[in-house]
Amino acid sequence: SGQVKMSDNLFTLMIIPRRKSAVTKISLSGKVVRCLLVGSLLAVLLTLYIVYDYAGIKRDRAELTHLRQQTALQAKEINSLALKIDEFSDRMEEFRQFDQKIRILAKSQTGKGQKVPLGIGGPSSEQIRLKEMLDQDSEKLVAGMYKSIGQLSKDADEREHSFRELLKFLQEQKSRLAATPSIWPVRGWVTSEFGPRENPFSSGVEFHKGIDIATRMGKEVVVTGDGLVIDASYNAADGNMVKIDHGYGIATSYLHLSKTAVQKGIRVKRGTVIGYVGDTGRSTGAHLHYSVFVNDVPVNPRKYLK
């Protein structure tokens, strides 16, 4: 055990052992005691700081390990994204080539007078191949990705506009094909062709503006293409007749009907019954006179019959 006695500015430390032995006395001045106390306090503070700093170092090391793992994962994801951007670039090129193939096919299927739109855009010489930059600095790769995405966005806008233009053209072609006369209005045998012929009602030669198809009385007559009924009436020469405007400068007429089945002003689809074979007007027997007009000029219907 120990005791401390203070006399004036002198501190005496007495160490008394439990067993009977001499008492040890240590005398210290007040200045020395104060220095020892301050030193002890500093030692405690230094120990606490070292413990706190060590704990911070361990925490930083754990966080650094986590950040390194996260950075490696992000680098892997960036590389994967770069490869996907390259795949998208390849797909955009496939779409461009597909666009051109459709236009070439459409051009081969349309008439000489039909103009096929040329299309928009082409392969970009500025397009970056990101797979070639995977081993380079990550900042350069990310910058290349931004630039590539910008170019692809522009290409996608151009391709969308091109496809819309092509779709509009194909829809117009579909409408034109649907409106073009292309089937027989009635089945029978042609008794008089298009062109000059002997006048059956008087001597001399006349120009026959259509073809005469002989068949049984009352047989259904169908319209040969989509269009608008612009006339459904009777006159002494043509008898009961129907005239259809198909648009695109094309019209057809059906004469000598026994009766009509449509009225002026209605729209009809190819194959719609518009009347029945008859012998009305200036006629020599049951038949249908069928004519095709292009810009009001009669043309040979044989060109349109399948």
Side-chain angles (χ1 to χ4, degrees):
S1 62
Q3 296 181 355
V4 177
K5 292 183 178 181
M6 184 174 61
S7 177
D8 296 333
N9 292 329
L10 188 67
F11 293 85
T12 302
L13 175 65
M14 299 178 64
I15 302 173
I16 303 174
R18 289 183 179 180
R19 295 179 181 180
K20 293 181 179 181
S21 58
V23 176
T24 304
K25 295 181 179 180
I26 300 174
S27 297
L28 300 170
S29 65
K31 186 175 181 181
V32 172
V33 171
R34 285 193 295 273
C35 289
L36 288 175
L37 289 174
V38 172
S40 298
L41 180 60
L42 290 175
V44 170
L45 293 175
L46 180 61
T47 301
L48 291 175
Y49 174 77
I50 291 172
V51 171
Y52 174 78
D53 189 54
Y54 177 72
I57 290 172
K58 286 192 69 175
R59 185 174 62 251
D60 290 344
R61 285 186 64 185
E63 185 176 353
L64 179 60
T65 300
H66 175 71
L67 288 174
R68 283 175 176 171
Q69 293 174 347
Q70 189 174 17
T71 300
L73 180 61
Q74 289 176 345
K76 186 177 179 180
E77 290 176 347
I78 289 173
N79 288 350
S80 176
L81 180 58
L83 292 175
K84 287 181 179 178
I85 292 174
D86 269 354
E87 290 177 6
F88 185 43
S89 299
D90 294 338
R91 292 290 292 166
M92 287 299 297
E93 176 59 19
E94 289 176 7
F95 285 141
R96 187 193 69 81
Q97 293 180 8
F98 183 63
D99 185 323
Q100 293 301 316
K101 287 177 182 178
I102 293 177
R103 291 172 190 277
I104 292 171
L105 181 61
K107 189 173 183 179
S108 67
Q109 295 297 317
T110 55
K112 294 181 179 179
Q114 299 300 315
K115 217 173 175 183
V116 180
L118 294 176
I120 300 171
S124 174
S125 58
E126 299 179 1
Q127 188 63 52
I128 301 170
R129 302 307 298 172
L130 296 174
K131 63 180 64 177
E132 298 174 1
M133 302 178 65
L134 295 181
D135 296 330
Q136 297 184 18
D137 184 78
S138 59
E139 291 185 2
K140 291 183 179 179
L141 177 59
V142 171
M145 288 168 64
Y146 273 112
K147 186 175 180 181
S148 183
I149 289 173
Q151 182 63 46
L152 285 173
S153 178
K154 180 181 177 182
D155 290 346
D157 290 340
E158 290 179 348
R159 199 55 46 217
E160 180 184 10
H161 183 76
S162 180
F163 278 132
R164 286 183 183 277
E165 180 188 62
L166 184 57
L167 180 61
K168 180 181 178 182
F169 170 77
L170 293 176
Q171 287 173 338
E172 290 175 353
Q173 292 304 304
K174 180 181 178 182
S175 298
R176 181 185 291 272
L177 289 173
T180 302
S182 59
I183 62 174
W184 286 81
V186 68
R187 286 295 176 179
W189 62 95
V190 177
T191 56
S192 183
E193 294 283 357
F194 175 85
R197 70 171 183 178
E198 291 185 7
N199 193 322
F201 299 98
S202 63
S203 60
V205 176
E206 69 171 1
F207 187 85
H208 193 218
K209 296 180 180 179
I211 59 174
D212 290 339
I213 306 172
T215 188
R216 64 177 173 82
M217 180 73 74
K219 195 170 184 179
E220 292 180 340
V221 176
V222 300
V223 66
T224 56
D226 296 358
L228 174 70
V229 179
I230 57 174
D231 195 1
S233 61
Y234 174 86
N235 65 65
D238 301 330
N240 292 317
M241 60 87 66
V242 173
K243 189 170 184 178
I244 308 292
D245 182 3
H246 300 279
Y248 310 101
I250 302 173
T252 54
S253 64
Y254 312 78
L255 313 182
H256 310 302
L257 303 171
S258 60
K259 63 177 180 177
T260 61
V262 291
Q263 295 179 339
K264 181 180 179 180
I266 69 169
R267 300 202 69 86
V268 290
K269 293 287 186 180
R270 178 185 289 129
T272 301
V273 175
I274 58 172
Y276 303 90
V277 173
D279 188 24
T280 58
R282 196 175 69 159
S283 171
T284 57
H287 77 286
L288 172 72
H289 174 93
Y290 173 60
S291 296
V292 177
F293 300 87
V294 176
N295 296 324
D296 296 326
V297 177
V299 297
N300 193 343
R302 289 277 191 181
K303 294 171 58 177
Y304 294 91
L305 297 176
K306 291 182 178 179

